[in-house]
Amino acid sequence: MKLLDGKAVAQKVLGEVGAGVRDLRARTGATPTLAVVLVGDFAASKIYIANKKKAAESVGIASRDHVYAEGLSQPELSTLLESLNADPDVHGILLQLPLSKGLDEDAAIAAIAPEKDVDGFHPLNLGRLLAGSPTVVPCTPAGCMEILDHYGADLTGADAVVVGRSRIVGKPLAQLLLARHATVTMCHTRTRDLAAHTRRADVLCVAAGRPRVITGDMVREGAWVIDVGVNRLETGKLVGDVDFASVRERAAAITPVPGGVGPMTVAMLLKNTLAAARRQLGLG
Ligand code: NAP
């Protein structure tokens, strides 16, 4: 069984981003800059953005905080996003979700200029992905693909099963697998017999947000398994959506939690930020 080490792949990506940032600085004098917007008092979001900012700093990407506990209205949020859209020194806008109660996330995402949407959630960017000509790809699915490619997964003609159909993970991941000529099945809570589908998978990607929903008996011998889930048990232990102990007995390759997809998400965010800065500075 091959352990798919997301931490190591993320380090490789961050190394490449760091080199790209130095090249961009040398050629334009500009520093890629990420505006981080958080509206609401969410402990988990604060940890996520602290991690993202630390990683950004490590590769030479500057970040600017726009953090509001509560009390920002939709028009105020739109005004903030418009000012960041118009600021030539800001190349990427990270709108940390969720937003505080009463704010419309879809409207806020749509208010971000597509060229600064480093999460790839803007409808235009999702549409480009669907059309087969993506500009920016959502970070977590992009990270899953990077892991599969790094370890040489054979996707052409493979039966790929994606459990979960969220806009940020499942749906874009299915599109990316399809673009690589996998035969893709998407499963969700209304799927009649989940195990019947997962057992057919050569590549099984799980983003359900349910601890250990996939067990060894649901996995085909020799499958590649990507576990996107991050669930904290009452004991405080962090586990994925895949029961690692039983699935590792059957899988050919599997990502651990933590240390699998999680680090990749941050690395891909910074890769997207560098790419956005390059495009805005005319480097293509
Ligand atoms: P989400 O928006 O809650 O979507 C979960 C999806 O899974 C839904 O489509 C749901 O189906 C499906 N689902 C839930 N339980 C299921 C079950 N028992 N059988 C089959 N399908 C089931 O979650 P998300 O935002 O995509 O996140 C999924 C997981 O990935 C979470 O654990 C999250 O913390 C983690 N995550 C990790 C990273 C990272 O960087 N590692 C990034 C993002 C998310 P319905 O559509 O029918 O409800």
Side-chain angles (χ1 to χ4, degrees):
M1 192 275 304
K2 199 175 340 192
L3 192 70
L4 305 175
D5 184 349
K7 231 172 163 175
V9 184
Q11 280 308 319
K12 188 200 80 171
V13 173
L14 289 174
E16 290 163 1
V17 173
V21 169
R22 288 190 293 279
D23 173 68
L24 181 130
R25 269 219 199 106
R27 290 163 73 174
T28 67
T31 299
T33 299
L34 182 65
V36 179
V37 180
L38 170 63
V39 187
D41 191 20
F42 302 104
S45 293
K46 285 180 192 162
I47 295 170
Y48 292 148
I49 64 170
N51 287 341
K52 289 170 184 174
K53 281 161 56 79
K54 205 169 127 196
E57 204 175 296
S58 77
V59 295
I61 292 179
S63 59
R64 289 191 199 167
D65 277 357
H66 299 271
V67 175
Y68 303 86
E70 298 287 337
L72 205 64
S73 66
Q74 194 82 36
E76 285 168 334
L77 177 56
S78 297
T79 303
L80 168 66
L81 294 171
E82 275 160 26
S83 74
L84 295 173
N85 287 344
D87 185 341
D89 295 331
V90 169
H91 306 103
I93 300 171
L94 164 66
L95 180 66
Q96 184 68 46
L97 301 176
L99 297 175
S100 63
K101 221 171 154 210
L103 292 180
D104 180 341
E105 289 186 356
D106 286 352
I109 291 168
I112 296 172
E115 66 274 17
K116 296 192 180 186
D117 164 40
V118 286
D119 272 320
F121 298 158
H122 190 284
L124 186 75
N125 288 322
L126 288 172
R128 282 181 179 147
L129 177 61
L130 188 65
S133 52
T135 313
V136 53
V137 173
C139 307
T140 302
C144 296
M145 297 303 290
E146 190 83 23
I147 291 179
L148 288 167
D149 283 340
H150 178 84
Y151 286 98
D154 189 6
L155 297 174
T156 302
D159 278 321
V161 173
V162 179
V163 182
R165 56 176 167 180
S166 73
R167 182 173 53 180
I168 64 169
V169 189
K171 281 182 189 165
L173 182 52
Q175 285 304 320
L176 292 169
L177 290 162
L178 192 58
R180 298 289 299 278
H181 313 297
T183 302
V184 182
T185 302
M186 298 190 68
C187 299
H188 43 78
T189 54
R190 313 286 174 93
T191 296
R192 247 182 254 133
D193 184 352
L194 181 63
H197 293 285
T198 59
R199 276 193 207 112
R200 284 202 346 260
D202 300 309
V203 178
L204 175 61
C205 301
V206 191
R210 300 281 182 275
R212 297 167 176 156
V213 70
I214 302 295
T215 47
D217 57 311
M218 298 169 77
V219 175
R220 177 184 195 157
E221 192 83 43
W224 284 57
V225 180
I226 302 289
D227 187 356
V228 181
V230 179
N231 309 285
R232 195 169 290 282
L233 301 181
E234 277 179 10
T235 57
K237 191 175 182 214
L238 216 56
V239 298
D241 292 348
V242 172
D243 180 44
F244 189 82
S246 61
V247 172
R248 72 175 300 170
E249 299 299 324
R250 298 178 66 85
I254 183 170
T255 55
V257 176
V261 175
M264 290 306 299
T265 297
V266 179
M268 300 315 280
L269 170 76
L270 300 177
K271 188 173 175 175
N272 283 350
T273 304
L274 171 63
R278 284 180 58 87
R279 283 193 292 270
Q280 284 158 55
L281 294 163
L283 298 182

